[in-house]
Amino acid sequence: MTNNKKVLTWLEEMKALVKPANVVWIDGSDEQRDALRKEAVASGEMIELNQEKLPGCYYHRTAENDVARVEDRTFICTPTEEEAGPTNNWMDPAKCYDMLKKLFDGSMQGRTMYVIPFIMGSKGSPFSKVGIELTDSIYVVLNMLIMTRAGQCALDEIGENGDFTKCLHAKKDVDPENRYIVHFPQDNTIWSVNSAYGGNVLLGKKCLALRIASYLGWKEGWMAEHMLILGIENPQGEVRYITAAFPSACGKTNLAMLIPPATMKGYKVWTVGDDIAWLRVNPADGKLYAINPEFGFFGVAPGTSSKSNKNALISTQKNTIFTNVCVRDDGTVWWEGHDDPAPQHATDWLDKEWTPDKETKAAHPNSRFTAPAANCPCISSEWENPNGVPISAIIFGGRRAKTAPLVYQARDWNHGVFVGATMASETTAAAAGAVGVVRRDPMAMLPFCGYHMGEYFKHWIEMGKKIPHQPKIFHVNWFRRGDQGEFLWPGFGDNLRVLNWILERCDGKVDAVETPIGYLPKKEDLDLSGLDISDEVIDELLSVKKEYWVEDIAGQKEFFAKFGDKLPQEIKDEMAKLEKNFA
Ligand code: OXD
Ligand code: MN
């Protein structure tokens, strides 16, 4: 399928290591996909769901010990530990290759090795990157066919001489003690072993599109971010685009597919991406443009309902792979937080009989759907535009019970970088009213930055200088709580009211209140029509309380202390300003 010597040489080397019984190239055709589905069903790797109700949908259970990303077993193997920085696990590359080669040696004996060429980004786009994943799992192949543009198109993209990210995955015996997700940024290489869970093995996603791509972006002058991208169409038919970075489990997929509240007539939200954005400056107009490098959604199923995300639910009605959800007796799927009531009888994610009186969950809390992006009813007409979409605003956010107001705007780019760098989120299991444990997660990239985070902050600051028409930067918090622990803001579709204020600020249409942390909305500028919310609650949502901020600043400083002299002066200056503003 290719004459690319780099591909062929690497393939021979990897074959000599893993020693597969045979090799199958994935060409991207429907015929090959259908044959692989059949094979996976025959071997029990996948279960065919009810094809009348869920055409093209399949089900898979992972091992009980293999249900999530494993940050403590994820490594960035740069030549020196310093280059990986204080927030990544590091191993010496030579030693790590040696250790991993022993694990991979003969790992595909008697098995088929699939060669999956894939593009992150659309064909022919200046943003796109190609990877090739070698794997012994049909589940991985079928997921990659949804999550990436895979097959011959990727080999055509690199031609005879082009480069690609070398991705190797072996399922082995899913031994958690020998599970490793390892990145060698300088070699453009990813090795993953002893897992079969999505985030650890669909190597195009977190591994390539964030960890390796963040490194490439740093070297090549662009950015790879853990961000959704959406377009907001106003009643005049104009569409403006924003990106937003929230830590995992803060509702990125829900925001990306938002349905406007009934009172905001004529508004529409268009999804470009729900998890990852690659951003570049367009020299023609001096604006920052974004693409979604993915081709599908790998979303958390529990909690997905018509109320929380109707568009995601519709996206999963065909050609979707469900992992670790609950299977009903009619061959359809269910999870906690589904529209339908709990089934009287079903099979849970552990393949055990499940009835509603059971204390265990029917679906694993991190159970997933892998759905084609093209299935989404609100997918943007621009989602495959090879040049991306122009970004008007960048939003950071997290779950904060008390500290962050509903929304505020950074004073300028460097302040915005500081707002992103000090991002944090509270754990969700906190008892009502109690403040959860704060986890600092700069730009939501803590588990995904492929190099020193101090350098990453510096890269953000440098990028700002290269964007003549910078997007404005904001921070939102949908999760502010009252004294009884109740959420103060309705969230979901009503978040569009906040996004609308953000766009009005970008257009200079509304004024704002200056506070120690940045610009806050004037109450009257938020469109609250049709919303049952009291003046006091709005005041509370827009309040900035010194005692919480003083505590937060202490946490920010403690976190930044890790970065030593790699913390950019610009970040230190912003920190000094914030402290002074609260003095
Ligand atoms: C994800 C994550 O799966 O951020 O997208 O964990
Ligand atoms: Mn994510």
Side-chain angles (χ1 to χ4, degrees):
M1 289 182 32
T2 181
N3 292 321
N4 185 308
K5 288 215 176 58
K6 290 179 214 164
V7 174
L8 298 174
T9 311
W10 171 68
L11 195 65
E12 285 311 310
E13 217 183 289
M14 294 301 104
K15 263 166 63 182
L17 177 63
V18 299
K19 307 178 179 66
N22 48 347
V23 174
V24 171
W25 288 77
I26 299 304
D27 59 17
S29 68
D30 287 352
E31 296 72 38
Q32 189 185 43
R33 181 200 60 189
D34 294 348
L36 286 169
R37 282 174 169 175
K38 281 208 180 88
E39 199 179 325
V41 170
S43 71
E45 193 175 348
M46 310 270 272
I47 293 169
E48 190 176 66
L49 292 167
N50 183 324
Q51 294 300 300
E52 245 162 65
K53 293 184 176 159
L54 296 169
C57 293
Y58 291 81
Y59 179 75
H60 175 77
R61 287 187 179 90
T62 65
E64 197 174 343
N65 71 36
D66 190 28
V67 291
R69 288 187 288 103
V70 279
E71 288 175 21
D72 58 327
R73 308 209 61 97
T74 299
F75 290 81
I76 302 293
C77 293
T78 41
T80 64
E81 185 165 7
E82 170 79 3
E83 286 159 277
T87 58
N88 283 313
N89 300 314
W90 176 84
M91 265 190 271
D92 173 72
K95 284 194 190 134
C96 189
Y97 275 127
D98 272 355
M99 188 259 303
L100 290 177
K101 275 183 185 160
K102 290 192 186 98
L103 289 176
F104 276 106
D105 190 9
S107 59
M108 296 192 197
Q109 257 160 5
R111 299 172 64 75
T112 298
M113 177 171 92
Y114 298 94
V115 182
I116 318 167
F118 62 95
I119 317 177
M120 301 310 295
S122 49
K123 291 166 203 163
S125 160
F127 288 75
S128 292
K129 296 284 178 195
V130 168
I132 301 181
E133 178 161 352
L134 310 179
T135 180
D136 55 354
S137 157
I138 298 184
Y139 171 73
V140 169
V141 175
L142 293 174
N143 273 275
M144 287 294 283
L145 285 168
I146 299 173
M147 293 305 295
T148 71
R149 294 158 178 93
Q152 184 64 44
C153 61
L155 295 170
D156 295 345
E157 188 86 4
I158 50 173
E160 296 220 342
N161 295 307
D163 269 322
F164 60 97
T165 304
K166 304 183 271 281
C167 308
L168 175 65
H169 164 248
K171 189 173 164 182
K172 281 209 71 153
D173 29 37
V174 251
D175 170 11
E177 302 300 320
N178 279 303
R179 183 168 298 153
Y180 290 97
I181 321 300
V182 184
H183 309 71
F184 301 93
Q186 277 77 2
D187 298 344
N188 203 358
T189 292
I190 304 161
W191 283 14
S192 163
V193 66
N194 270 312
S195 174
Y197 166 77
N200 300 327
V201 298
L202 308 179
L203 300 182
K205 191 175 177 68
K206 302 297 186 183
C207 299
L208 193 165
L210 286 176
R211 298 194 190 96
I212 293 290
S214 63
Y215 173 85
L216 294 175
W218 176 40
K219 294 289 162 191
E220 297 170 2
W222 53 281
M223 300 158 96
E225 298 297 332
H226 192 196
M227 289 175 170
L228 66 91
I229 311 166
L230 62 78
I232 299 168
E233 182 174 332
N234 67 15
Q236 291 73 49
E238 297 154 348
V239 185
R240 315 280 300 280
Y241 297 91
I242 61 167
T243 60
F246 305 141
S248 307
C250 284
K252 281 212 306 295
T253 304
N254 294 350
L255 187 67
M257 299 178 190
L258 174 155
I259 296 175
T263 53
M264 291 185 74
K265 287 202 175 42
Y267 280 87
K268 283 188 198 124
V269 166
W270 300 108
T271 309
V272 179
D274 78 326
D275 195 40
I276 298 176
W278 285 359
L279 302 127
R280 281 176 188 262
V281 189
N282 181 345
D285 63 6
K287 292 183 185 167
L288 190 65
Y289 278 68
I291 65 148
N292 166 17
E294 301 191 279
F295 200 47
F297 307 124
F298 184 61
V300 176
T304 305
S305 66
S306 302
K307 175 168 191 283
S308 68
N309 196 340
K310 190 172 180 187
N311 288 318
L313 208 59
I314 296 171
S315 306
T316 64
Q317 298 308 293
K318 59 179 186 201
N319 295 325
T320 293
I321 297 172
F322 294 93
T323 304
N324 292 342
V325 300
C326 165
V327 183
R328 293 188 278 206
D329 293 348
D330 68 346
T332 60
V333 288
W334 187 83
W335 46 77
E336 281 72 18
H338 194 278
D339 283 354
D340 298 343
Q344 285 312 304
H345 185 268
T347 311
D348 70 10
W349 72 277
L350 288 166
D351 203 11
K352 299 231 167 67
E353 187 177 15
W354 190 89
T355 45
D357 55 321
K358 283 258 167 85
E359 274 169 23
T360 52
K361 297 225 186 291
H364 186 276
N366 192 35
S367 53
R368 298 277 177 154
F369 54 81
T370 316
N375 279 2
C376 182
C378 59
I379 198 75
S380 163
S381 59
E382 299 305 300
W383 84 282
E384 300 207 76
N385 187 329
N387 298 315
V389 293
I391 300 302
S392 299
I394 294 174
I395 302 175
F396 295 119
R399 275 176 196 270
R400 302 307 303 263
K402 295 285 180 192
T403 315
L406 178 63
V407 57
Y408 63 101
Q409 181 185 0
R411 286 181 297 271
D412 54 31
W413 181 269
N414 282 1
H415 180 222
V417 176
F418 176 79
V419 168
T422 51
M423 237 172 87
S425 206
E426 286 151 15
T427 49
T428 48
V435 176
V437 179
V438 177
R439 171 176 143 125
R440 306 227 79 89
D441 189 355
M443 283 85 170
M445 282 290 279
L446 189 72
F448 305 120
C449 183
Y451 60 105
H452 196 299
M453 266 211 141
E455 296 286 1
Y456 168 79
F457 297 152
K458 184 101 201 126
H459 181 47
W460 263 86
I461 288 162
E462 293 306 317
M463 283 296 297
K465 296 179 191 160
K466 293 184 196 144
I467 313 170
H469 301 291
Q470 297 167 341
K472 302 275 188 280
I473 303 182
F474 298 80
H475 186 283
V476 300
N477 176 23
W478 315 132
F479 303 97
R480 184 94 171 222
R481 288 177 188 251
D483 291 338
Q484 310 305 316
E486 76 285 11
F487 286 115
L488 296 179
W489 180 248
F492 301 110
D494 289 307
N495 292 337
L496 185 59
R497 300 171 190 275
V498 174
L499 302 185
N500 202 34
W501 179 79
I502 286 175
L503 288 180
E504 287 186 337
R505 282 295 292 168
C506 292
D507 292 343
K509 283 194 190 143
V510 287
D511 237 349
V513 184
E514 222 176 312
T515 77
I517 62 167
Y519 302 118
L520 260 78
K522 290 183 163 171
K523 223 177 1 185
E524 60 272 22
D525 289 333
L526 282 176
D527 175 358
L528 302 173
S529 51
L531 207 59
D532 183 19
I533 194 163
S534 71
D535 247 25
E536 294 73 49
V537 168
I538 294 296
D539 288 339
E540 179 64 23
L541 279 164
L542 298 178
S543 66
V544 178
K545 296 194 176 139
K546 183 171 171 176
E547 69 264 34
Y548 294 115
W549 279 88
V550 168
E551 193 186 323
D552 205 59
I553 290 171
Q556 296 173 7
K557 289 174 94 170
E558 191 186 319
F559 180 70
F560 282 155
K562 289 188 197 177
F563 298 99
D565 59 9
K566 283 260 162 69
L567 189 70
Q569 186 57 42
E570 291 85 346
I571 296 285
K572 291 184 199 157
D573 293 347
E574 292 298 333
M575 175 60 89
K577 271 188 230 166
L578 183 64
E579 280 193 283
K580 193 166 140 263
N581 289 349
F582 276 112

